[in-house]
Amino acid sequence: MKKVYTYYHLVFCLLTFAVSSCNHEPLENREAYLEEVEAWRSERIAELTAPTGWLALAGLFWLEEGENTFGSGLENQLIFPKKAPSEIGRFMQKGDSVWVEIAQGVDIKVKEEVIQTMGLSGQASPLIMEYGSLSWFLLQRSHRYGIRLIDSLHEARQQFKHIDHYPVDPKGKVPAKLVAFEQPETLLVRNVLDMEIPYPTEGKLVFNWEGKEASILVLDGGPAEYFLIFADATTGDETYPSGRYLYTPKVDSSGLTYIDFNKAYNPPCAFTEYATCLLPPAANRLEVAIRYGEKNYGMH
């Protein structure tokens, strides 16, 4: 295994995937890498604290078949914050068909247009309904439909300070090789609501960590990236109990890429109780300690 790792280590350096693996790294390269990670962290915080970021989530309501009234009034089935009208209207669900009907005299807008009745399911992208600082849209998880509510003035945005993280070090960026399945598979990934969500997977990334071979199954992260969900020996103590997330570039023609654990981050559930985070598959629970990336933020 040591010879295999050494081979990938040298190839990785020659391909200049990252500054982390080369022992005699020029100081200017190290500084550039540290700046790159810091820029990534700044962008991450900006997205998290944005008016529609995870810290702005104010509710998650699961629909029942038939009528689902909503508004700030306590008589509603879906109770919105007090800043919303007492009676906004109702969501209707019949099987896989969901639509909204707005009460008379209530101005709810979609794309700057006041609506009365509108179909919500089967859309290429969610239709976002707005009232003041509140906005909401339909989401689907497994066979259930829900309404996600956002408040751009949510107090969590104002209270946020920072996320603790391990010191950034190029050693946390390691070469990895894809061991692909003969045919792409669909992995059922469980979420915090105990639902199983199907995710395509091409195989696993194999890498060396402190002299031990480790691997992480990759999930579909779009045309250019893999999405990784993993737990390690720090999970539940130093880092978030439900694991951490990470994106990494897809492999090149030689089957090589890198995993930059300095960019491992807390899932949305660390910041809000209204997220539906995926949990690490059993194969992605590592025995080694990954002391890079974000530390635990909170518990929801």
Side-chain angles (χ1 to χ4, degrees):
M1 175 53 62
K2 185 175 181 181
K3 291 182 179 179
V4 174
Y5 169 67
T6 301
Y7 168 75
Y8 290 136
H9 177 90
L10 292 173
V11 171
F12 188 76
C13 289
L14 291 172
L15 292 176
T16 64
F17 276 129
V19 297
S20 61
S21 301
C22 305
N23 294 328
H24 303 290
E25 175 192 2
L27 179 61
E28 60 269 21
N29 287 352
R30 178 184 175 85
E31 292 302 318
Y33 172 72
L34 297 179
E35 290 177 4
E36 175 206 325
V37 175
E38 186 58 36
W40 174 87
R41 292 189 70 249
S42 296
E43 183 178 353
R44 151 102 169 125
I45 299 304
E47 292 178 354
L48 181 65
T49 58
T52 57
W54 290 110
L55 286 169
L57 263 59
L60 177 60
F61 309 94
W62 296 105
L63 301 181
E64 301 291 342
E65 186 76 9
E67 180 181 80
N68 301 262
T69 59
F70 71 109
S72 61
L74 298 181
E75 70 278 3
N76 291 289
Q77 293 159 287
L78 281 55
I79 302 176
F80 276 30
K82 292 181 180 180
K83 62 177 65 177
S86 177
E87 178 187 354
I88 301 177
R90 60 181 184 171
F91 297 103
M92 298 295 297
Q93 178 181 349
K94 287 189 177 180
D96 286 331
S97 180
V98 180
W99 66 95
V100 65
E101 298 174 359
I102 304 299
Q104 291 292 328
V106 180
D107 288 349
I108 303 300
K109 293 183 178 181
V110 173
K111 297 179 180 179
E112 303 299 325
E113 297 289 336
V114 175
I115 65 168
Q116 289 300 132
T117 299
M118 178 171 286
L120 302 177
S121 53
Q123 304 289 333
S125 57
L127 296 174
I128 299 174
M129 292 155 275
E130 299 177 311
Y131 180 89
S133 67
L134 301 177
S135 60
W136 59 92
F137 58 89
L138 180 74
L139 60 76
Q140 182 177 3
R141 294 292 183 269
S142 188
H143 301 295
R144 298 193 67 183
Y145 289 95
I147 300 298
R148 172 164 283 166
L149 177 66
I150 296 172
D151 185 354
S152 63
L153 299 180
H154 198 290
E155 61 182 10
R157 291 186 60 221
Q158 318 304 323
Q159 296 172 353
F160 176 82
K161 295 181 179 179
H162 69 281
I163 305 172
D164 289 335
H165 61 90
Y166 295 103
V168 178
D169 193 319
K171 292 180 181 179
K173 188 173 184 179
V174 297
K177 183 175 179 64
L178 179 69
V179 177
F181 298 133
E182 291 186 7
Q183 296 290 335
E185 298 182 6
T186 297
L187 184 68
L188 292 178
V189 183
R190 196 169 296 277
N191 68 11
V192 293
L193 301 176
D194 205 29
M195 300 173 175
E196 288 188 329
I197 312 299
Y199 253 84
T201 177
E202 298 179 27
K204 61 183 179 180
L205 289 178
V206 179
F207 58 99
N208 183 289
W209 190 260
E210 298 179 348
K212 297 180 180 180
E213 183 178 279
S215 65
I216 299 179
L217 285 171
V218 301
L219 303 179
D220 182 19
E225 293 180 307
Y226 301 121
F227 177 42
L228 312 183
I229 307 174
F230 72 95
D232 66 281
T234 70
T235 300
D237 182 14
E238 301 170 28
T239 60
Y240 190 62
S242 297
R244 288 179 288 172
Y245 292 175
L246 179 62
Y247 281 88
T248 197
K250 287 195 172 182
V251 295
D252 67 359
S253 58
S254 63
L256 292 172
T257 184
Y258 61 80
I259 304 175
D260 191 348
F261 288 107
N262 287 296
K263 297 179 181 179
Y265 64 94
N266 287 304
C269 290
F271 305 94
T272 176
E273 61 185 303
Y274 303 123
T276 61
C277 303
L278 296 171
L279 301 173
N284 289 1
R285 298 183 179 275
L286 309 177
E287 295 182 359
V288 299
I290 308 292
R291 289 190 169 91
Y292 296 90
E294 292 184 354
K295 295 183 179 181
N296 193 8
Y297 179 80
M299 180 74 70
H300 293 278

